[in-house]
Amino acid sequence: MIISGKELSARMKADMAAEVAALGTKYGRVPHLVVLLVGDDPGSVSYVTGKAKACDAVGIRNTTIRRPADTTEEEVLRIIAELNADEGVDGILVQLPLPRHISEERVIAAIGREKDVDGFHPLNVAALWMKQPCTLPCTPKGILRMLHTAGVELEGRRAVVVGRSNIVGLPVAKLLLDANATVTVAHSRTRGLADVTRGAEILVVAIGRPRFITGDMISEGAVVIDVGVNRDPETGRLCGDVDFETASSKASYITPVPGGVGPMTIACLMENTIECFRRKKER
Ligand code: NDP
């Protein structure tokens, strides 16, 4: 069975469009997301375009601020301070990666926590790990939503997360743990990775290696969530970290690339923007 992020995110966006229209009527304006893009990395440009399109579909007002790659860190911080102070801005997203001369850490920490739609601010990260209310990072949130919608039982089950990045691996492991799964986190230093992944009833892969996890590394009936977005070195086409062809004959559920986790990430970004707006208006 394929878990289609494309279909699920389309349903979420339709529901959110109605919600945003109602918010607009109630409060006299709709949520407003500002995306800051520094430089012209083609991947980042395409992500930013995708986010703007999703905002349009949902009815969220969106502004993209573009600055050249040689913009200074001071200038980026100045723009963020301005957006923090602007009552008409509900969400701020800085597209990553930033050019190397700019500290991502400092920039993310400068975003007002209440406008941090990515859930990357240190206070939001801390709140997640302390089980306090917070804005959840979009990709892990989308993954949990997919598992939930597909009716995958998590409680008491063996989940393996391959990858331990701050934006995907670690937070998804925490959310699975909160859902009472028994979680193992594997990474580039893990010995006998195939034995670890074969022990998974639920396998989440976020490593950035094209088609790295093959069918023989997956146990019969496992649920496989493929987060990777890579270019296949042979065909040049988009592919995941999981070899879909061999993995899909073993898995009970699997997410495709494209059309899996990617669209869910964007739908959850829309949700987070609406949540930030609501929190501000309803406090
Ligand atoms: P990072 O590069 O930050 O982290 C990669 C992780 O994978 C690291 O923890 C690394 O281990 C681990 N890893 C790398 N190689 C191996 C290996 N051979 N065996 C086991 N573990 C390995 O990546 P991200 O988490 O940011 O992204 C991962 C993938 O997900 C990328 O393809 C990215 O494009 C995609 N992505 C997709 C999103 C979506 O919405 N669909 C959103 C975000 C990311 P170690 O810590 O030891 O170095």
Side-chain angles (χ1 to χ4, degrees):
M1 284 271 276
I2 291 178
I3 309 180
S4 170
K6 200 174 161 188
E7 280 171 22
L8 178 54
S9 66
R11 289 206 295 276
M12 286 170 66
K13 285 191 282 187
D15 289 347
M16 284 189 277
E19 186 185 354
V20 167
L23 287 171
T25 309
K26 183 168 177 189
Y27 293 111
R29 74 171 183 86
V30 292
H32 181 196
L33 173 67
V34 177
V35 177
L36 176 57
L37 173 62
V38 184
D40 50 12
D41 170 69
S44 295
V45 172
S46 114
Y47 284 132
V48 167
T49 310
K51 288 165 187 172
K53 259 184 161 169
C55 282
D56 290 341
V58 171
I60 291 175
R61 182 181 162 208
N62 62 96
T63 306
T64 303
I65 301 177
R66 291 188 71 153
R67 289 289 181 272
D70 61 358
T71 304
T72 62
E73 185 176 306
E74 289 66 32
E75 172 63 2
V76 170
L77 293 173
R78 192 196 58 74
I79 293 170
I80 289 174
E82 230 170 61
L83 296 172
N84 281 339
D86 188 338
E87 269 299 309
V89 172
D90 307 292
I92 304 169
L93 183 151
V94 177
Q95 184 62 45
L96 303 178
L98 286 167
R100 289 162 70 102
H101 64 278
I102 302 177
S103 156
E104 290 186 354
E105 232 168 76
R106 272 197 290 272
V107 167
I108 289 167
I111 296 171
R113 182 198 171 177
E114 67 291 348
K115 299 191 182 186
D116 169 36
V117 283
D118 256 339
F120 294 164
H121 190 282
L123 290 174
N124 274 323
V125 176
L128 166 65
W129 287 89
M130 295 169 79
K131 276 201 191 175
Q132 287 171 6
C134 63
T135 299
L136 291 176
C138 304
T139 303
K141 184 178 183 182
I143 291 170
L144 268 286
R145 185 69 55 81
M146 288 173 109
L147 290 168
H148 181 72
T149 308
V152 175
E153 173 87 64
L154 297 173
E155 178 144 341
R157 298 187 75 194
R158 291 187 308 277
V160 173
V161 179
V162 190
R164 55 176 168 180
S165 71
N166 286 333
I167 62 168
V168 189
L170 286 184
V172 87
K174 171 66 170 136
L175 292 179
L176 288 166
L177 198 55
D178 288 348
N180 296 322
T182 302
V183 182
T184 302
V185 180
H187 45 78
S188 69
R189 313 289 171 89
T190 297
R191 289 188 191 162
L193 181 66
D195 287 334
V196 176
T197 55
R198 272 195 292 266
E201 295 173 279
I202 293 126
L203 179 63
V204 180
V205 188
I207 56 178
R209 303 269 181 273
R211 297 195 276 121
F212 185 85
I213 301 288
T214 44
D216 58 315
M217 299 170 80
I218 295 169
S219 73
E220 199 71 45
V223 175
V224 179
I225 305 289
D226 186 356
V227 186
V229 179
N230 312 294
R231 286 274 160 210
D232 187 313
E234 285 158 25
T235 64
R237 300 230 300 264
L238 220 54
C239 73
D241 291 340
V242 175
D243 182 46
F244 189 84
E245 218 171 282
T246 54
S248 54
S249 60
K250 300 285 276 301
S252 57
Y253 287 99
I254 188 164
T255 62
V257 177
V261 175
M264 290 300 291
T265 297
I266 297 191
C268 288
L269 172 66
M270 302 297 107
E271 260 191 15
N272 283 356
T273 306
I274 296 170
E275 270 174 31
C276 287
F277 175 84
R278 275 191 183 281
R279 250 183 252 127
K280 181 154 74 180
K281 293 291 182 191
E282 290 165 8
R283 78 180 159 210

